[in-house]
Amino acid sequence: MDGVTVGGVRAAARIVARDDGRGGTSLPVLAGDGPLALRRTRGSGAEARVMLVGAMSGPLGGDHFSVAADVESGARLLVGSAAATIALPGQDKGGARYDVRLSVADGGELRWLPEQLISAKGSDLCVTTQVEVGATGRLVLREEQVLGRVGEEPGRLAGRLSVRVGGRLVLDQELVCGAGAPGGWDGAAGLAGHRAVGQLLVVRPEFAEQPMTARVLGESAALMPLAGPAALVTAVATDALRLRRVLDAALATFD
């Protein structure tokens, strides 16, 4: 761990997944520090599984966390988390940062399925997720944000997701909501009073020839094909449980 400073806690975690040559996936790099502890769990078939375990509260104001996962050719990896991440206010009045960098080589596969991110009252968190996928790589990425705990107003939450497939930018979007966010985020053109918002990104090589069809999924989600072998589902819900049900149902449409 880099340690606790006046500016908060700095912590990093890194995963490297590699084809072990025997029909499975090895993890030559599995390193986390401070609040970012990594644990390998029982996999399934060729897929290795890793859980991100929060060893401390946070991120708090002034903290800077970063997580990187690199999936090499032929490897398969699932990354989840043991519990929701809660952004909290801290003694440092500066905002917190959480940076995620994901890389999937040609022939690799990553399922990035963490639990929800909860923005507690008084918190200020900026999350950036940068993804690079090879032209024949495969990815499922789920992001879920919950604005405030039960009966609580949210803090400020800013998120940016950028995705490149085969070197081509297919998605670059930003969402800012909660306290201090630009006006309109909670209006009819924004979240319309919902307190949970999420997205599901699916990258598959076969989408290059057979792209998904844009359509509405139920009452609170929509599927959109992207300009590349990828599709994006965006959903809103009244709470985290309903949001997960919507996204799980959306993922089933890809099978």
Side-chain angles (χ1 to χ4, degrees):
M1 180 171 133
D2 291 332
V4 181
T5 67
V6 174
V9 174
R10 297 182 64 88
R14 186 175 178 225
I15 308 166
V16 174
R18 180 172 298 161
D19 183 351
D20 66 6
R22 302 186 301 275
T25 297
S26 64
L27 300 174
V29 178
L30 187 64
D33 55 27
L36 301 176
L38 299 174
R39 300 289 184 267
R40 182 167 189 169
T41 61
R42 185 182 297 275
S44 176
E47 182 181 72
R49 297 186 179 183
V50 173
M51 297 297 291
L52 181 61
V53 180
M56 295 170 55
S57 297
L60 308 177
D63 290 353
H64 183 186
F65 296 173
S66 60
V67 180
D70 298 294
V71 180
E72 299 181 0
S73 180
R76 296 179 60 190
L77 175 66
L78 183 151
V79 179
S81 56
T85 297
I86 305 178
L88 297 164
Q91 293 183 346
D92 189 303
K93 300 305 179 182
R97 288 179 55 189
Y98 201 130
D99 298 327
V100 178
R101 184 187 61 79
L102 309 176
S103 174
V104 185
D106 284 335
E109 180 174 346
L110 172 63
R111 292 195 290 160
W112 184 263
L113 303 172
E115 294 301 310
Q116 297 92 352
L117 170 62
I118 301 172
S119 173
K121 183 177 180 179
S123 64
D124 184 354
L125 176 64
C126 178
V127 181
T128 61
T129 304
Q130 296 180 309
V131 185
E132 293 273 355
V133 184
T136 61
R138 302 171 73 87
L139 171 74
V140 175
L141 179 148
R142 182 183 69 210
E143 289 189 340
E144 299 168 301
Q145 295 89 30
V146 180
L147 304 180
R149 293 169 291 192
V150 176
E152 175 185 70
E153 290 299 311
R156 183 180 186 276
L157 179 61
R160 183 170 183 176
L161 172 63
S162 61
V163 182
R164 292 182 177 272
V165 181
R168 179 184 181 186
L169 184 67
V170 301
L171 178 67
D172 191 353
Q173 68 175 27
E174 185 173 15
L175 175 67
V176 183
C177 42
W185 69 269
D186 200 24
L191 300 187
H194 295 89
R195 283 297 178 265
V197 57
Q199 51 198 358
L200 182 71
L201 175 71
V202 179
V203 178
R204 293 181 178 175
E206 56 265 34
F207 289 170
E209 301 296 330
Q210 297 178 322
M212 299 294 290
T213 302
R215 60 185 183 274
V216 175
L217 303 174
E219 299 180 354
S220 60
L223 184 154
M224 288 293 296
L226 301 179
L232 178 70
V233 174
T234 302
V236 295
T238 55
D239 57 45
L241 179 60
R242 290 180 174 84
L243 178 65
R244 177 63 59 84
R245 288 172 177 168
V246 170
L247 293 179
D248 283 349
L251 183 58
T253 68
F254 289 90
D255 296 331

